[in-house]
């Protein structure tokens, strides 16, 4: 089964988890990169991130070489912004046909992300969701444990996706 990990990472946590999973299950990686990326810091970062979510912005993405439609199983990773997924994923969902796929989702947050999986499921529509996982501060809090958690989850997903 061809497996793709699609992710957006603002500060590196989601990238860390995506790369950990990809190495464990030999999946291809597709990092979503906006054409214009902000590098706001401090309180301005939260204002900018929240504004994009609230206004349901769809930033233009840099072209990518992989076609998600060619994959059977797709893992989707995002940081949590204002209780939702990052706007580059909104663009990705709107511009790619992902119907009929096996999907797993993961998020990386500071801790407050209770509705993110519900929002992602709504955006993904007609797919089979086979797993979801949340990581809290994977680069800042117990990096080794989060890495191990990602590897174990990836192994479980592969077993589940093959049935």
């Amino acid at each position: 089964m061809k497996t793709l990990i699609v992710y957006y990472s603002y500060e590196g946590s989601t990238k860390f988890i995506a790369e950990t999973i990809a190495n464990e299950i030999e999946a291809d990686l597709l990092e979503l990169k906006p054409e214009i990326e902000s590098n706001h810091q401090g309180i301005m970062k939260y204002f900018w991130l929240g504004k994009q979510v609230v206004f349901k912005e769809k930033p233009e993405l840099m072209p990518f070489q992989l076609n998600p439609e060619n994959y059977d199983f797709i893992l989707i990773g995002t940081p949590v912004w204002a209780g939702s997924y990052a706007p580059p994923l909104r663009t990705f969902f709107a511009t790619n046909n992902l119907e009929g796929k096996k999907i797993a989702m993961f998020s990386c947050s500071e801790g407050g992300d209770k509705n993110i999986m519900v929002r992602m499921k709504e955006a993904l529509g007609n797919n089979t969701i086979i797993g979801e996982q949340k990581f809290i501060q994977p680069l800042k809090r117990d990096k080794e444990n989060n890495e191990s958690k990602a590897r174990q989850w990836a192994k479980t997903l592969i077993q589940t996706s093959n049935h």
Side-chain angles (χ1 to χ4, degrees):
M1 177 178 307
K2 287 183 72 173
T3 303
L4 177 67
I5 301 172
V6 177
Y7 71 96
Y8 171 75
S9 190
Y10 188 74
E11 295 180 317
S13 290
T14 309
K15 182 175 186 165
F16 168 69
I17 296 297
E19 289 176 347
T20 299
I21 293 169
N23 288 335
E24 186 65 32
I25 61 174
E26 299 179 12
D28 293 335
L29 281 168
L30 172 57
E31 181 176 10
L32 303 177
K33 293 184 178 264
E35 286 185 0
I36 300 171
E37 180 76 90
S38 168
N39 57 359
H40 290 99
Q41 299 296 317
I43 193 141
M44 286 306 296
K45 174 179 83 171
Y46 296 104
F47 174 76
W48 179 78
L49 303 176
K51 177 189 92 53
Q52 284 194 347
V53 171
V54 169
F55 289 104
K56 298 187 183 329
E57 293 181 14
K58 294 178 188 165
E60 292 292 321
L61 298 176
M62 300 291 288
F64 37 86
Q65 304 299 316
L66 300 173
N67 182 352
E69 293 178 29
N70 294 337
Y71 291 82
D72 308 304
F73 179 36
I74 300 176
L75 287 86
I76 300 172
T78 183
V80 177
W81 288 10
S84 191
Y85 52 88
L89 283 170
R90 184 180 312 283
T91 304
F92 178 78
F93 295 151
T95 58
N96 291 277
N97 179 10
L98 300 178
E99 281 197 26
K101 305 287 184 188
K102 290 183 179 179
I103 305 273
M105 308 171 296
F106 65 94
S107 66
C108 297
S109 72
E110 298 292 316
D113 61 353
K114 62 182 175 185
N115 295 320
I116 189 166
M117 297 302 172
V118 171
R119 290 186 173 122
M120 284 180 64
K121 286 176 188 175
E122 290 169 355
L124 287 164
N126 189 24
N127 290 290
T128 303
I129 307 298
I130 64 168
E132 52 188 71
Q133 188 65 260
K134 298 176 184 182
F135 297 90
I136 298 175
Q137 299 179 346
L139 289 177
K140 296 177 185 174
R141 185 192 302 171
D142 202 358
K143 182 178 177 181
E144 293 78 21
N145 187 43
N146 278 297
E147 183 177 14
S148 176
K149 178 179 172 181
R151 289 184 189 285
Q152 285 303 115
W153 183 59
K155 289 176 190 174
T156 301
L157 288 174
I158 290 302
Q159 292 169 352
T160 303
S161 68
N162 287 328
H163 290 99

